[in-house]
Amino acid sequence: MSRRIGVGVDTGGTFTKIVSVSPEGKPLRELQIPTLAADGPRSFVRRVAEAVRWEQSALGAKAEGIGLAVAGDVDAERGMVRFSPNLRKFDRYPLRDALARAAHRKVLIANDANMAAWGAYVVELERKARNVVVVAMGTGIGGGVVIDGKLFQGSTGSAGEIGHTTVDPRGPLCACGARGHAEAYAGSYGIVRIARKLLRGKKSLLHTLCPGLKELEPRLIAHAALEGDKIALAVWEEAGRRLGLAIADAVYLLNPDRVLIVGGVSRAGRLILDPIQAVLRAQPFKTPFDAAKVEIASTPNLGAIGAGLLALE
Ligand SMILES: [Zn+2]
């Protein structure tokens, strides 16, 4: 009996992860190749196709399909990237069809956070929830929505962009150019910005952990907070409360049974989860908030896993 596998490709600005998955979302093999974004999409497609062939022969199985996850504005229907800040040369290139030809496999393409949402839904929730909002915390804040057990991508593939919902119209600039988006507070650059603001003229363990505050990053701020540093704790409190406002809006809009927080920055755990939950608990309209269980998902590589799984759907 031949095994069913899907291959997920998570295209980052620097590295691309290629993960072969079972229909349950179990990662069977992982391979990382350099993206070499400056070389352009043709070289990328050729190397991904090679890597997929390698994975298939190592597993002794043919992939049913390849899912391609890309950060940025992705046109799933036409199978191309409209705009991706880290992959400028890929814009408008027919990525899906080129990879399908090179790898002789069916290919689908979507935004990486949407793919991660699907991965989280299958792997973390084992499809047991019905309506799910996934918040992906990294440099930016991405997101995805599962409605009635199906990934909902919206009219242009842009659904679930919770990071770009406004929590303060006069707030700091978001990477997208707007003011006061949730990402401007709780994306890693937003968290670092809050820290720099709160640290001004104050004593903190962060000055010792990170001399000159040159390489300040969420991991260090979490470390200081867990050591009891008051400023670091206040940073997570503010980031979490702002993100909590965006999540509250999503709960009002979609009435999910789960909110899953994923991504590298979510490793801060309770530091980010507690203030989010405080905001949700404080909402006066209790019914949707009593129903929405919020948790942090710990599975790594959900973008690639979700892409591989979606290729199997
Ligand atoms: Zn934004």
Side-chain angles (χ1 to χ4, degrees), residues 164 174 176 181:
H164 302 289
C174 178
C176 75
H181 281 176

Side-chain angles (χ1 to χ4, degrees), residues 24 40 71 83 115 122 126 137 142 149 177 215 217 219 225 302:
E24 297 76 42
F83 173 76
M115 294 291 204
V122 176
E126 298 171 330
M137 298 187 74
E215 278 160 42
E217 49 152 337
R219 194 180 47 86
L302 280 172

Side-chain angles (χ1 to χ4, degrees), residues 38-201:
D39 289 358
R42 283 188 180 81
S43 136
F44 174 76
V45 163
R46 197 171 357 96
R47 287 180 295 108
V48 170
E50 278 299 321
V52 171
R53 273 194 284 278
W54 175 267
E55 291 300 278
Q56 291 182 138
S57 76
L59 286 165
K62 271 210 151 85
E64 279 181 35
I66 302 171
L68 193 56
V70 185
D73 186 0
V74 176
D75 188 337
E77 237 163 79
R78 291 206 173 106
M80 55 178 74
V81 178
R82 290 192 196 94
F83 173 76
S84 179
N86 297 318
L87 305 165
R88 300 305 289 268
K89 289 195 173 162
F90 288 46
D91 291 3
R92 306 261 157 208
Y93 179 80
L95 209 50
R96 177 193 58 201
D97 296 345
L99 181 58
R101 274 196 306 275
H104 307 290
R105 286 284 160 276
K106 166 192 88 173
V107 178
L108 61 91
I109 183 171
N111 170 272
D112 61 343
N114 280 339
M115 294 291 204
W118 186 250
Y121 179 68
V122 176
V123 175
E124 290 277 337
L125 300 177
E126 298 171 330
R127 301 182 198 241
K128 279 173 189 145
R130 224 172 61 182
N131 303 305
V132 182
V133 170
V134 176
V135 182
M137 298 187 74
T139 307
I141 303 264
V145 178
V146 173
I147 295 177
D148 277 329
K150 291 212 173 69
L151 182 64
F152 176 75
Q153 301 206 64
S155 309
T156 63
S158 319
E161 288 286 6
I162 192 168
H164 302 289
T165 52
T166 306
V167 296
D168 179 357
R170 285 183 300 275
L173 277 178
C174 178
C176 75
R179 277 203 182 277
H181 281 176
E183 175 179 305
Y185 298 95
S188 62
Y189 68 92
I191 293 170
V192 168
R193 181 160 53 196
I194 295 171
R196 290 192 194 284
K197 181 187 73 181
L198 298 182
L199 281 164
R200 227 169 274 151

Side-chain angles (χ1 to χ4, degrees), residues 254-298:
L254 297 169
N255 189 196
D257 34 357
R258 294 291 183 103
V259 175
L260 272 185
I261 303 174
V262 306
V265 177
S266 72
R267 280 188 222 123
R270 298 229 67 92
L271 293 169
I272 190 79
L273 192 57
D274 286 349
I276 289 171
Q277 281 179 322
V279 170
L280 302 185
R281 269 197 305 271
Q283 300 300 315
F285 183 7
K286 293 293 173 208
T287 307
F289 293 93
D290 288 343
K293 191 171 168 207
V294 186
E295 49 191 38
I296 291 179
S298 50

